[in-house]
Each structure stands twice: as structure tokens, then as C-alpha cells.
């Protein structure tokens, strides 16, 4: 009998070790609640993924979020900043915590092959008709937001303060946060002491939480350059001033702004994303249009790049012999996406909380991204006493990442028509991270 008991106990220990995370989920009430919500949340996710909406057109997505928050017991206001949602739950004295998710999709035709792939089409604010896809993962953000709203509402006995949950439109065109602020986000509703959000990541393994203190995302400027020339017959180039040759010189010279003028310790990017000029083999046109995206972090770095673009375009035109009235015309789009800053104090505080919850192997310190985000506008507008943090939640299969590294293969990422994160892992980790962070910031005393 003693021998049999010993073997049984040993077998139980092995099973317990193999069970690992599921056993932990059963003993942790928050994780267990998140897991219990997952079937419903995944149904919502598939619906949102299959029915994406472009910037400032997110009426259906906003209604799904508003209805979910209202059902959970929040006071809900719709139509804030055109299509935004603000859900407020007052639960006694304490800090105000704002939890934000963005809602808009991209003008991208989906090619993931998923059973619930989007077949939606629409016309963007630029007037271009195209397919529509959640190629940046905002469907996982909305679903995680709904999950957090449900779990936090069910655990009101564990926190005290005011919870403001924001569904934000038009992040992809960097106008949604500004539009909500203009419509009274910080005056009609409680002003936050803390603002938190998450974004899915193609650089982290599924379910890994990335915490970055300081700059997390970059300034993003859109610059249009109209390069002028003197057109004519392609057989007589000496009678013209060729804008295609001039534009080419400008494109090549622009690369030196990063390689030779920027401080190598200050990340910056100048990319010429489009060049349009000419219509026929034997005609030298009189105009070429360039479209640039410019990325930086600090105000000084941004100024160096933008001033450099103006200087180079003009100098190359002068070198090509263009008269003063044919100098390039440069337009810098306003407003631009300003860099997102994670409050270091809050980031390190949450790193400790999330490490304790998920384990050190599931909390990473990613590099800052050169992508842009308008989440930081909320904390900027709220003032220096508001702390802000956007987390990264990994959505890439670890096995897929390992195989790609061995093969030297480049995997599709955000904004790709092939981006298909492991949505269940993103949503579960994102929901739990938002809930844990909020509970840490709003303890019941």
C-alpha cells in the first residue's frame, strides 16, 4: 500500500508540473474570469475582424463597444469626437484611470485566408475605394477593452476610484484622439490621473507583454514635395530642366539627413514612399511629386530633419539651374503624430506588477518603435500630472518566429494584408494586463 501511494503522489506531481499555466489560471481569480470570458470575446473578435470600418466610419464597432460597456454597468456616451465612445464607472473615492482602445481599420485588402477574413470595401477619407482590413490589430484592442470592462465591473469590490474607458476612432490617420479632446474628452468627463492602453505586436511572441519606459512610438510627419521643372521633348533635353532628374537627386541626397546629419544615438527615418512624374516615353514633364514619411523622437531631431528636407530640395533645384519662381514647394501635414512617451515611473511600476502576474519570461523590454500613435495626445492634453503607458502584447507564434529566424525568412507584420495574430493569446493577455494594471492603480483601502 505504501508503494502504491508513493507512485500515485509522484504521478500527481508530474501532472501538476505539466499543467503549469492552466493550474495557475484556476487558482488566480482574475485569470480564471478572463478565461471564462474568452469564448464570448472570441466571437466578438471574429465579428469585428470580419466587419472592419475605416477612420471616422466606426459606427458599428463603436456600438458593439458601447453596448458591451452599458451592459457591464457603465454610464456610456456615444458620438464623442464623431464616432468615439466614453464609458464611465464611478466607484468611490480614488484616482481616475483611463483605458483606451482604438477602433479603425486600414484600407488594405485582406489576404490571410482566415475563415472569417474581411471582404469589406469602402472609401477612405482620401477618397480612395479599396478593401478594408484590421491589419493593425485594432480588433484585438477593442475586444480586450470589452474583456477588461466586464472583468473590472465584476470586481468593483477590489478597486476604488473612477474608471473611464475610451473607444477612440481614427488612430490610423492620427486625428481621433485630437477630435475627442476637441469634443471635451477631458472636460465633459473625469480627467485621468493615469492613462493606459495596449497594442498588439508582431515582434513579440504571443502572450508576451512588452513594457517600454520613455519614448515608445515616434513623431510621424507626412511631407509632400512638388518638384518643378521646364518640360519639353525627350529628344531635346538641353532645352528643358528635367524635374525627374532633379527629384532623383533630391531623393538620394535626403538619405544623408539620417546617415550624415542626425546624431546616431537619436533614431530617425526619412522614407520617400511615392514618386509620381511624367506620362510618356518621349516627354520631359514639368512636375514631379514626392511623398515622404519622416520619423523622429525629440523635437530637436524632428526640426533637423524637416529643415534639412527644405534645404536640400531648394539647394538641388538651384544646382539644376531652376529660377526662383520654379523652386520646389514643400508641404508638411498638420497635425502630425507626436511621439508617444511612456511615463518611466508608471512603466517600471507596471513592469513589476506584470512580472509578478505573468512571470519574467512573459514580460519583455522592447525597443521603441518608429511607428506612430496618437494615444500620447491624451496625456499631453491632460498635463504633467497625468501618467501614461501603452503596452505591447505579442501576437506572433513563438514556433513561427524560431523557424523564420533559422530560415532567414521575413514574416509579415502590422499593416500587411497577411497579418494574422494569434488573436486569442493577444486578447487574453491584453485583457488581463489592463485589468491587473487598473487594479494596481485603484486599490481599495
Amino acid at each position: 500500500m505504501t508503494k502504491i501511494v508513493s507512485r500515485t503522489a509522484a504521478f500527481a506531481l508530474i501532472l501538476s508540473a505539466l499543467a503549469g499555466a492552466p493550474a495557475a489560471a484556476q487558482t488566480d481569480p482574475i485569470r480564471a474570469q478572463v478565461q471564462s470570458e474568452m469564448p464570448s470575446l472570441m466571437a466578438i473578435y471574429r465579428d469585428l475582424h470580419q466587419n472592419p470600418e475605416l477612420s471616422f466610419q466606426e459606427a458599428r464597432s463603436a456600438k458593439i463597444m458601447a453596448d458591451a460597456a452599458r451592459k457591464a454597468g457603465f454610464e456610456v456616451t456615444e458620438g464623442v469626437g464623431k464616432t468615439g465612445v466614453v464609458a464611465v464607472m464611478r466607484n468611490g473615492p480614488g484616482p481616475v484611470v483611463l483605458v483606451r482602445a482604438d477602433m479603425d481599420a486600414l484600407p488594405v485588402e485582406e489576404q490571410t485566408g482566415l475563415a472569417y477574413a474581411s471582404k469589406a470595401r469602402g472609401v477612405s477619407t482620401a477618397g480612395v475605394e479599396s478593401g478594408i482590413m484590421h491589419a493593425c490589430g485594432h480588433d484585438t484592442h477593442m475586444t480586450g477593452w470589452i474583456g477588461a470592462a466586464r472583468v473590472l465591473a465584476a470586481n468593483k469590490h477590489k478597486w476604488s476610484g473612477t474608471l473611464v474607458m475610451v473607444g477612440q476612432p481614427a488612430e490610423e490617420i492620427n486625428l481621433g484622439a485630437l477630435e475627442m479632446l476637441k469634443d471635451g474628452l477631458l472636460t465633459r468627463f473625469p480627467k485621468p490621473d493615469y492613462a493606459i492602453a495596449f497594442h498588439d505586436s508582431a515582434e513579440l511572441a504571443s502572450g508576451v507583454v512588452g513594457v517600454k519606459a520613455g519614448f515608445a512610438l515616434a513623431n510621424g510627419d507626412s511631407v509632400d514635395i512638388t518638384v518643378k521643372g521646364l518640360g519639353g521633348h525627350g529628344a531635346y533635353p538641353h532645352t528643358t530642366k528635367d524635374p525627374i532628374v532633379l527629384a532623383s537627386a533630391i531623393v538620394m541626397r535626403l538619405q544623408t539627413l539620417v546617415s550624415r546629419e542626425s546624431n546616431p544615438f537619436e533614431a530617425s527615418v526619412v522614407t520617400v514612399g511615392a514618386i509620381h512624374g511624367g506620362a510618356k516615353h518621349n516627354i520631359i514633364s514639368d512636375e514631379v511629386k514626392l511623398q515622404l514619411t519622416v520619423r523622429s523622437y525629440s523635437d530637436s531631431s524632428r526640426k533637423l530633419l524637416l529643415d534639412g528636407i527644405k534645404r536640400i530640395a531648394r539647394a538641388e533645384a538651384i544646382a539644376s539651374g531652376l529660377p526662383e519662381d520654379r523652386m520646389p514647394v514643400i508641404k508638411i501635414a498638420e497635425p502630425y503624430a507626436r511621439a508617444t512617451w511612456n511615463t518611466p515611473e508608471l512603466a517600471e511600476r507596471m513592469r513589476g506588477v506584470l512580472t509578478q502576474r505573468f512571470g519574467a519570461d512573459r514580460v519583455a523590454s522592447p525597443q521603441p518603435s518608429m511607428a506612430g500613435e496618437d494615444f500620447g495626445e491624451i496625456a499631453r492634453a491632460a498635463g504633467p500630472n497625468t501618467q501614461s503607458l501603452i503596452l505591447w502584447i505579442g501576437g506572433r507564434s513563438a514556433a513561427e518566429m524560431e523557424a523564420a529566424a533559422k530560415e532567414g525568412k521575413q514574416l509579415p507584420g502590422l499593416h500587411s494584408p497577411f497579418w494574422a495574430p494569434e488573436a486569442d493569446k493577444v486578447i487574453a493577455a491584453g485583457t488581463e494586463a489592463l485589468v491587473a494594471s487598473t487594479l494596481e492603480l485603484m486599490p481599495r483601502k
Side-chain angles (χ1 to χ4, degrees):
M1 179 65 75
T2 304
K3 201 169 189 179
I4 294 173
V5 171
S6 177
R7 285 177 177 174
T8 303
F11 185 64
L13 286 171
I14 292 170
L15 284 178
S16 177
L18 290 173
Q26 294 302 316
T27 58
D28 182 279
I30 296 299
R31 183 165 297 171
Q33 287 178 50
V34 171
Q35 290 302 318
S36 71
E37 294 286 349
M38 284 304 295
S40 169
L41 292 176
M42 287 306 296
I44 292 170
Y45 164 75
R46 286 187 286 270
D47 182 15
L48 290 169
H49 186 89
Q50 199 163 26
N51 297 281
E53 296 168 298
L54 294 170
S55 304
F56 289 131
Q57 299 177 32
E58 312 94 337
R60 185 178 184 277
S61 302
K63 187 175 188 309
I64 290 171
M65 296 177 75
D67 288 349
R70 195 175 283 116
K71 186 175 180 180
F74 287 79
E75 302 169 21
V76 178
T77 305
E78 299 176 66
V80 182
K82 296 183 179 178
T83 50
V85 176
V86 180
V88 179
M89 182 171 286
R90 294 174 173 85
N91 190 33
V96 177
V97 174
L98 182 149
V99 178
R100 173 270 207 176
D102 38 11
M103 304 187 295
D104 54 332
L106 286 160
V108 172
E109 189 157 348
E110 182 163 355
Q111 299 179 52
T112 61
L114 293 170
Y116 50 88
S118 166
K119 294 180 177 61
R121 298 191 69 81
V123 179
S124 71
T125 52
V128 178
E129 195 269 342
S130 70
I132 310 173
M133 176 191 174
H134 271 299
C136 202
H138 294 187
D139 44 359
T140 64
H141 306 174
M142 288 185 280
T143 309
W145 184 96
I146 291 171
R150 289 177 175 177
V151 175
L152 286 166
N155 285 275
K156 290 177 69 174
H157 60 288
K158 293 184 178 179
W159 58 273
S160 182
T162 299
L163 180 58
V164 180
M165 300 200 68
V166 174
Q168 183 210 299
E171 183 278 329
E172 295 293 357
I173 58 174
N174 295 304
L175 292 176
L178 292 174
E179 196 65 31
M180 293 193 80
L181 290 165
K182 180 181 173 183
D183 199 16
L185 179 61
L186 301 182
T187 54
R188 293 168 56 192
F189 308 98
K191 189 166 90 169
D193 299 295
Y194 304 97
I196 58 176
F198 80 81
H199 201 298
D200 67 312
S201 170
E203 309 301 320
L204 297 174
S206 296
V208 172
V209 182
V211 184
K212 174 70 180 74
F215 283 121
L217 294 116
N219 294 315
D221 282 283
S222 295
V223 181
D224 291 276
I225 304 177
T226 301
V227 180
K228 299 182 179 183
L230 298 171
H233 200 297
Y236 314 120
H238 59 289
T239 66
T240 72
K241 297 293 183 185
D242 191 336
I244 290 179
V245 173
L246 171 54
S248 300
I250 291 172
V251 170
M252 296 306 295
R253 184 73 182 185
L254 288 175
Q255 308 311 306
T256 65
L257 283 173
V258 174
S259 67
R260 289 297 178 270
E261 296 191 38
S262 296
N263 184 331
F265 292 102
E266 291 196 32
S268 53
V269 171
V270 177
T271 294
V272 180
I275 178 167
H276 303 282
K280 198 173 184 295
H281 301 75
N282 63 348
I283 298 174
I284 292 175
S285 66
D286 61 1
E287 186 175 278
V288 171
K289 292 185 180 294
L290 302 176
Q291 294 178 306
L292 288 66
T293 188
V294 181
R295 306 298 170 118
S296 57
Y297 288 120
S298 68
D299 291 342
S300 60
S301 179
R302 176 177 181 262
K303 185 176 187 305
L304 180 147
L305 296 174
L306 296 181
D307 286 352
I309 290 168
K310 296 173 187 175
R311 185 191 75 239
I312 286 171
R314 178 176 174 81
E316 291 291 351
I318 292 172
S320 295
L322 269 293
E324 189 64 33
D325 64 351
R326 304 297 290 171
M327 287 293 111
V329 176
I330 299 170
K331 293 183 179 179
I332 301 168
E334 291 288 350
Y336 68 96
R338 297 193 286 183
T340 299
W341 174 263
N342 282 338
T343 308
E345 176 187 343
L346 180 60
E348 295 310 319
R349 181 178 176 185
M350 290 303 106
R351 185 191 306 282
V353 169
L354 297 171
T355 299
Q356 184 176 13
R357 168 160 288 277
F358 292 108
D361 60 333
R362 283 189 59 191
V363 178
S365 300
Q367 293 295 315
S369 171
M370 295 309 291
E373 246 280 5
D374 64 354
F375 169 65
E377 293 294 343
I378 296 171
R380 284 177 183 261
N385 292 327
T386 296
Q387 297 185 28
S388 180
L389 175 65
I390 186 166
L391 300 165
W392 293 103
I393 306 293
R396 178 83 75 193
S397 160
E400 187 181 29
M401 291 175 72
E402 185 178 353
K406 287 180 180 177
E407 298 169 14
K409 179 181 175 183
Q410 186 68 41
L411 295 171
L414 303 182
H415 289 216
S416 163
F418 300 101
W419 174 237
E422 292 192 310
D424 57 337
K425 294 182 173 64
V426 175
I427 291 164
T431 299
E432 190 173 339
L434 290 179
V435 171
S437 299
T438 302
L439 291 176
E440 166 68 17
L441 297 172
M442 308 172 77
R444 180 171 287 280
K445 298 178 181 178

